Amino acid sequence: MATNARTNAQVMTRVTLIGAILDGLLGVFKIAIGWISQSHALIADGVHSLSDLGTDVLVILAARWSNEEPDANHPYGHARIETIATLVLGSILLAVAGGILYDSLQRMIDPSIAIDLGVAAFAITITSIVSKEGIYRYTIHYAKKLNSKLLMANAWHSRTDALSSIAVLVGLVGVSFDALWLDAVAALVVALLIAKIALGLLWDSMQELIDTALPEDQMMAIRTTAMNVPGLRDVHQIRTRTMAGKVLVDLHLQVDPRVSVSEGHEIGCWVASSIRNEFPDVSDITFHIDPEDDANIDRQAPTKLRPLRAEVRHALEQDWGSLCDIQELRLHYLRGRIDVEVLTSTHVTSAELQSASRRPWLGQISVLNSNL
């Protein structure tokens, strides 16, 4: 697990660094050409490209910190750092969409605000579109491969530059054909598209922060996989949540109440292994072994507690001392009572023992004779 986390962090850092280098180069070229052509718009666009380096640094730091190993204060790891960083990036995307939307509305109100960047600026704008789209496709590939919403957000942050540059080109075409409104409409469409992506990222991140469960079909698929393990009678109280694309699962496993503790635990280990093999995104499984179905028991209100072994043995030695010697007791806490298997060298029947003890918690009694 630790090796995978380090590998993921390295991949995310490498992908983001490549994008950061291209952002830096684009920013410098835009500012330089804008300075030569005296284009304030292109200089502003270059500054915007350089500002993308800030979000790249955020992604690199989040990738490093979120993949650190669990510690005493963070037993589930630090993956939620990636979720918070995704929220920040989603908010930045929403702000970018708002800025483009405001600019497009201004151009609709005042058509005199036109775009004319010149030949050199036209060339750098096309270069920006191609390179930013390349960064997007490169980053989105690894975002899907690592199932990282943070990389996904950063990929779309790169694409916003490409989309806004496309809007600029549309505006240039509009200027050439005296259709000044075309630039405003293109910018409006781009703003709405970016806003839709940003809201989707924000929604998914917030759902993750409040521990929203997996969709019902995925829950049923996990249950089906578990039920294929021999010896398992039922699965209930399945609870799931996600952390930075990884899934955490809690579930109750019902087994035969007469099996040993170690056999019940081994069945649970097989269930956990089967789920992990079938669902690679599952990173943590906590299972609880049940001897009977407790799905309808209120987990908040404690059930009536039955006595533990020491008290049970003491009580039964008092009740049965004159009838048999108790060599060993096997206790089964079922149906609100305690079923008892007693190993003894004395010839005695279950009915005799049952009549000799009226303990309210005593259930069925089975006698095992050690002399047989």
Side-chain angles (χ1 to χ4, degrees):
M1 186 68 70
T3 301
N4 289 338
R6 284 195 296 269
T7 301
N8 290 350
Q10 290 169 357
V11 171
M12 292 174 69
T13 300
R14 185 183 73 245
V15 170
T16 307
L17 275 176
I18 292 173
I21 292 171
L22 288 175
D23 282 335
L25 292 174
L26 275 175
V28 170
F29 280 126
K30 286 179 181 179
I31 292 173
I33 295 176
W35 184 270
I36 294 171
S37 62
Q38 295 297 302
S39 170
H40 297 291
L42 192 56
I43 292 174
D45 198 26
V47 172
H48 177 241
S49 292
L50 288 179
S51 70
D52 289 347
L53 294 175
T55 59
D56 291 331
V57 171
L58 172 65
V59 172
I60 291 171
L61 292 177
R64 176 182 175 183
W65 293 336
S66 66
N67 285 287
E68 288 185 356
E69 295 183 28
D71 54 39
N73 293 325
H74 307 90
Y76 287 98
H78 303 75
R80 287 281 165 83
I81 293 176
E82 181 173 330
T83 308
I84 295 171
T86 304
L87 270 175
V88 173
L89 275 181
S91 301
I92 292 173
L93 282 177
L94 195 60
V96 169
I100 296 174
L101 179 62
Y102 175 80
D103 188 54
S104 67
L105 292 176
Q106 285 291 100
R107 291 176 189 175
M108 285 183 177
I109 296 171
D110 185 4
S112 64
I113 304 176
I115 299 177
D116 187 6
L117 301 181
V119 176
F122 193 95
I124 195 64
T125 302
I126 294 178
T127 303
S128 176
I129 293 172
V130 174
S131 58
K132 279 292 187 176
E133 181 65 17
I135 295 172
Y136 165 79
R137 293 184 180 278
Y138 177 67
T139 307
I140 207 73
H141 167 74
Y142 284 99
K144 292 177 179 179
K145 185 176 181 179
L146 301 179
N147 194 22
S148 171
K149 287 186 173 61
L150 178 60
L151 272 186
M152 186 84 68
N154 204 36
W156 274 102
H157 188 242
S158 294
R159 196 172 227 190
T160 58
D161 280 351
L163 292 173
S164 61
S165 295
I166 289 174
V168 169
L169 280 180
V170 172
L172 288 173
V173 173
V175 169
S176 301
F177 292 94
D178 293 326
L180 303 180
W181 56 269
L182 200 58
D183 168 56
V185 172
L188 179 62
V189 172
V190 168
L192 293 177
L193 176 60
I194 295 172
K196 180 179 182 297
I197 298 300
L199 290 173
L201 289 167
L202 288 171
W203 175 259
D204 289 344
S205 298
M206 287 187 289
Q207 292 300 300
E208 186 172 304
L209 286 176
I210 61 174
D211 287 337
T212 302
L214 292 177
E216 186 65 26
D217 59 332
Q218 295 183 38
M219 301 268 281
M220 291 303 298
I222 290 175
R223 187 181 189 280
T224 300
T225 299
M227 288 300 297
N228 289 329
V229 175
L232 186 65
R233 289 189 170 184
D234 193 20
V235 182
H236 51 270
Q237 292 184 4
I238 302 177
R239 296 187 295 172
T240 60
R241 52 188 170 135
T242 57
M243 290 179 64
K246 298 300 181 182
V247 179
L248 286 73
V249 180
D250 300 338
L251 68 173
H252 284 215
L253 308 176
Q254 184 182 346
V255 300
D256 187 329
R258 307 290 174 176
V259 302
S260 66
V261 172
S262 60
E263 183 179 352
H265 182 266
E266 190 65 19
I267 291 172
C269 290
W270 274 82
V271 168
S273 178
S274 298
I275 292 174
R276 283 196 174 96
N277 289 337
E278 190 70 22
F279 305 95
D281 291 338
V282 174
S283 63
D284 185 274
I285 301 176
T286 301
F287 60 82
H288 174 82
I289 301 298
D290 282 332
E292 56 188 349
D293 187 0
D294 64 352
N296 296 320
I297 295 177
D298 185 0
R299 284 171 287 170
Q300 303 302 320
T303 57
K304 184 178 180 181
L305 296 177
R306 291 155 285 183
L308 296 177
R309 173 174 290 274
E311 185 178 344
V312 170
R313 186 179 185 96
H314 178 72
L316 295 181
E317 284 176 345
Q318 287 182 330
D319 297 343
W320 299 343
S322 61
L323 296 175
C324 68
D325 63 313
I326 300 177
Q327 295 181 347
E328 183 181 338
L329 291 175
R330 297 173 188 167
L331 308 181
H332 303 282
Y333 291 76
L334 303 169
R335 304 176 303 279
R337 297 196 171 206
I338 306 175
D339 292 351
V340 178
E341 295 178 10
V342 55
L343 181 65
T344 179
S345 60
T346 308
H347 181 72
V348 66
T349 66
S350 299
E352 290 174 325
L353 295 179
Q354 194 79 56
S355 62
S357 181
R358 298 297 180 184
R359 306 285 178 174
W361 41 260
L362 187 60
Q364 298 177 0
I365 301 173
S366 302
V367 177
L368 304 174
N369 197 300
S370 61
N371 294 325
L372 296 180

